[in-house]
C-alpha cells in the first residue's frame, strides 16, 4: 500500500507549477485541510496564489510555511524521467519539486492530519502559510500575506519553513537564520571615442579600475558566532560595444552583497557611495534589497526541533545561516522564531531532482512531533 506522504507528493509533483503558477496545487492542499476543520483563506495578489489556513482559535501559533511553485525543468530530454511525471525508483521519488519543496509540503499536511486526528482539541493554533511566488520574484507571495496579517494584528510565534535544509542525512542541518541580500546596478559614464584617439575620449573601464579593486578587496565585517563575514561578488560587467575599435562611453556593473547582521543596508550603501566619490566617478547607482538578515537564537523552537531530530534521527542538528534567501525573511518581521527544516538539498534546481521516500516519511513524523511538543 502506498504511503500517504508519497501519494500526496506525487499528486503535487504532477502539477507543472512553474513559478508563479500554482496550477491547482493549493486546491489539493485546501481540500485536505478543509476536511480537518481548518479555517481557509485564499489570498491572491496579482499573478500569485497564496494560502493562509489555521486550526484552533487561541494561544500561541505554530505555522508551517512553504511554496508550491518550482523552477523551470530546463531541457526535459535531459531528465531520466519526465520532470512532471512523479517516478519512484530504488526508494527515490523523481520529479521537479520533489525536494524543493513539494515533498516537504506533503510531509507537513500528512503530519497535520495525524496530529489533529489524535488531538482535535489541541491548544494554540496550527497554521499553514503557502505561496506560489518563492522561486521567482517573491514580490506577491509571503511578503504580502505577512503584511496583511500584520495589519490584522495576527501573530505567528513559531514557524517551520520546509526548505531543503539537510545536507547529508535528514535533519543534520537546520537553518536558524539567513544573510541579507542587497544588489547594486552601477552605471559609470565616460566619453565614447575611437580607440586610436584616447585623448579625445574617457574610458569608463579604465577610470573604474581603482574603485573596483577597492570594492573587491574591502573587508566589510568579520561576521560573528552565527554569520560568516559579509560577501561581495561582482556578477556582471557590461559595455555592449561589440567592436574592438571603440572606447566605450558607459560601463554597467552589477554586484551583490550577502550580509550579516553586523551591517545594515544603509551602512553598505553609504560605504560603497563613499568609495565612488573618492575616485570622482560620474555614476548613478540603483539598489535592490531582497531581504534583511534574520536570526533565531537558541530558545524554545530550536530546543524542541533539536530534541525531536535527536529522538527520530539519533543525532543533534547543526545550526546554519548559510545559503541563499528564503521566505523566512518576511515572516521574521512578525517576531516569530523561525527554523528551516526539510529534506536533502543535493538535487534541488537540478536535472533529475529527487528525494528519498524514507526521508519524507521520517520528516513527516518529525513535523508531527514538533506540533505535539508546541501545541499540547
Amino acid at each position: 500500500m502506498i504511503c500517504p506522504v508519497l501519494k500526496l507528493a506525487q499528486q503535487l509533483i504532477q502539477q507543472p507549477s512553474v513559478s508563479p503558477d500554482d496550477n491547482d496545487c493549493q486546491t489539493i492542499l485546501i481540500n485536505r485541510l478543509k476536511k480537518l476543520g481548518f479555517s481557509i483563506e485564499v489570498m491572491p495578489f496579482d499573478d500569485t496564489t497564496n494560502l493562509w489556513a489555521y486550526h484552533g482559535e487561541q494561544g500561541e501559533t505554530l505555522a508551517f510555511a512553504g511554496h508550491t511553485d518550482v523552477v523551470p525543468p530546463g531541457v526535459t530530454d535531459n531528465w531520466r524521467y519526465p520532470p512532471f511525471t512523479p517516478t519512484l525508483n530504488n526508494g527515490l521519488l523523481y520529479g521537479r519539486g520533489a525536494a524543493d519543496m513539494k515533498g516537504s509540503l506533503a510531509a507537513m499536511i500528512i503530519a497535520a492530519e495525524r496530529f489533529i486526528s489524535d488531538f482535535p482539541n489541541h491548544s494554540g493554533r496550527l497554521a499553514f502559510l503557502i505561496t506560489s511566488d518563492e522561486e521567482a520574484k517573491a514580490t506577491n507571495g509571503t511578503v504580502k500575506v505577512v503584511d496583511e496579517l500584520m495589519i490584522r494584528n495576527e501573530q505567528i510565534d513559531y514557524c517551520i519553513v520546509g526548505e531543503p535544509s539537510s545536507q547529508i542525512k535528514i535533519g543534520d542541518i537546520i537553518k536558524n537564520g539567513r544573510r541579507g541580500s542587497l544588489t547594486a546596478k552601477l552605471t559609470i559614464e565616460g566619453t565614447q571615442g575611437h580607440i586610436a584617439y584616447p585623448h579625445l575620449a574617457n574610458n569608463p573601464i579604465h577610470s573604474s579600475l581603482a574603485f573596483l579593486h577597492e570594492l573587491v578587496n574591502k573587508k566589510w565585517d568579520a561576521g560573528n558566532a552565527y554569520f560568516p563575514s559579509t560577501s561581495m561578488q561582482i556578477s556582471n560587467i557590461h559595455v555592449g560595444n561589440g567592436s574592438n575599435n571603440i572606447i566605450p562611453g558607459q560601463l554597467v556593473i552589477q554586484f551583490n552583497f550577502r550580509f550579516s547582521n553586523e551591517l545594515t543596508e544603509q551602512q553598505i550603501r553609504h560605504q560603497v557611495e563613499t568609495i565612488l566619490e573618492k575616485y570622482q566617478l560620474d555614476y548613478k547607482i540603483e539598489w535592490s534589497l531582497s531581504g534583511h538578515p534574520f536570526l533565531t537564537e537558541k530558545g524554545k523552537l530550536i530546543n524542541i526541533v533539536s530534541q525531536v531530530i535527536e529522538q527520530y534521527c539519533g543525532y543533534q542538528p547543526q545550526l546554519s545561516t548559510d545559503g541563499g534567501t528564503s521566505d523566512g525573511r518576511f515572516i521574521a518581521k512578525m517576531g516569530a522564531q523561525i527554523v528551516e527544516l526539510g529534506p536533502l538539498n543535493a538535487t534541488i534546481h537540478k536535472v533529475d531532482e529527487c528525494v528519498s521516500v524514507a526521508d519524507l516519511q521520517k520528516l513527516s513524523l518529525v513535523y508531527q512531533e514538533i506540533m505535539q511538543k508546541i501545541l499540547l
Side-chain angles (χ1 to χ4, degrees):
M1 180 178 178
I2 188 169
C3 77
V5 178
L6 172 60
K7 185 175 181 179
L8 180 53
Q10 289 173 322
Q11 284 182 281
L12 295 172
I13 291 169
Q14 67 186 7
Q15 307 299 121
S17 55
V18 175
S19 189
D21 186 3
D22 172 71
N23 211 347
D24 290 328
C25 286
Q26 291 179 35
T27 300
I28 294 172
L29 303 181
I30 287 170
N31 289 337
R32 300 186 78 117
L33 293 174
K34 278 184 175 178
K35 293 178 181 178
L36 299 174
F38 272 77
S39 298
I40 305 288
E41 183 177 3
V42 178
M43 301 174 69
F45 293 104
D46 196 15
D47 57 359
T48 300
T49 305
N50 302 294
L51 169 64
W52 169 248
Y54 61 89
H55 188 277
E57 296 295 335
Q58 296 180 339
E60 293 184 318
T61 297
L62 168 64
F64 283 77
H67 59 90
T68 53
D69 58 315
V70 299
V71 295
V75 180
T76 57
D77 288 346
N78 292 338
W79 287 67
R80 293 177 62 186
Y81 313 105
F84 296 110
T85 301
T87 304
L88 189 62
N89 183 23
N90 198 29
L92 297 176
L93 175 62
Y94 288 83
R96 176 58 86 219
D100 190 12
M101 56 171 287
K102 292 181 175 181
S104 297
L105 291 177
M108 292 173 183
I109 297 296
I110 299 303
E113 289 179 343
R114 291 193 300 254
F115 172 71
I116 291 175
S117 174
D118 291 342
F119 306 102
N121 299 314
H122 61 85
S123 60
R125 294 196 306 171
L126 176 61
F128 285 91
L129 198 171
I130 310 297
T131 183
S132 68
D133 181 32
E134 195 273 347
E135 295 289 10
K137 297 179 295 181
T139 55
N140 293 307
T142 301
V143 60
K144 288 193 174 178
V145 176
V146 166
D147 287 344
E148 178 63 28
L149 294 178
M150 291 179 72
I151 289 172
R152 303 177 190 176
N153 292 318
E154 291 267 14
Q155 179 66 38
I156 293 177
D157 299 284
Y158 311 101
C159 183
I160 304 292
V161 184
E163 290 292 344
S165 60
S166 303
Q167 187 167 332
I168 298 174
K169 49 190 177 181
I170 193 75
D172 59 351
I173 292 177
I174 59 176
K175 305 285 188 182
N176 65 319
R178 293 279 191 162
R179 294 175 295 176
S181 179
L182 178 64
T183 297
K185 180 181 178 182
L186 172 65
T187 302
I188 298 177
E189 300 291 346
T191 303
Q192 190 178 53
H194 195 292
I195 207 161
Y197 302 95
H199 61 287
L200 300 177
N202 175 22
N203 192 324
I205 299 176
H206 293 188
S207 62
S208 69
L209 289 178
F211 160 75
L212 290 174
H213 183 268
E214 185 166 343
L215 184 73
V216 168
N217 289 283
K218 182 176 175 59
K219 184 174 182 179
W220 300 91
D221 60 52
N224 55 40
Y226 293 100
F227 287 97
S229 58
T230 292
S231 167
M232 191 290 302
Q233 290 294 315
I234 296 173
S235 58
N236 191 28
I237 297 179
H238 178 70
V239 291
N241 280 341
S243 175
N244 67 353
N245 65 354
I246 298 176
I247 293 172
Q250 189 180 79
L251 172 66
V252 179
I253 308 166
Q254 289 177 301
F255 49 96
N256 174 268
F257 292 88
R258 294 302 167 102
F259 62 103
S260 74
N261 57 358
E262 293 291 318
L263 282 177
T264 66
E265 170 201 2
Q266 291 78 15
Q267 288 173 322
I268 294 172
R269 291 173 58 162
H270 175 72
Q271 290 183 46
V272 170
E273 290 165 13
T274 297
I275 301 172
L276 285 165
E277 296 293 340
K278 173 182 175 181
Y279 294 104
Q280 299 181 332
L281 296 171
D282 181 7
Y283 73 92
K284 64 178 180 180
I285 190 165
E286 301 170 31
W287 294 97
S288 175
L289 177 73
S290 58
H292 292 282
F294 70 92
L295 176 69
T296 296
E297 298 192 41
K298 290 183 178 180
K300 181 175 179 178
L301 183 61
I302 288 179
N303 290 341
I304 286 176
V305 171
S306 298
Q307 291 169 12
V308 173
I309 289 173
E310 185 165 31
Q311 176 182 342
Y312 282 91
C313 304
Y315 42 80
Q316 278 280 315
Q318 177 184 341
L319 301 180
S320 172
T321 61
D322 64 4
T325 59
S326 79
D327 276 1
R329 67 192 189 272
F330 304 127
I331 301 168
K333 293 194 302 183
M334 302 182 75
Q337 295 181 40
I338 301 169
V339 161
E340 297 176 27
L341 169 60
L344 271 63
N345 58 23
T347 63
I348 60 174
H349 293 207
K350 293 183 179 180
V351 168
D352 294 333
E353 179 180 351
C354 61
V355 67
S356 162
V357 176
D359 281 354
L360 289 186
Q361 291 174 299
K362 184 176 289 186
L363 183 63
S364 187
L365 293 173
V366 167
Y367 287 158
Q368 181 183 353
E369 186 68 19
I370 292 170
M371 294 174 188
Q372 292 180 194
K373 288 188 178 300
I374 290 181
L375 296 177
L376 294 183

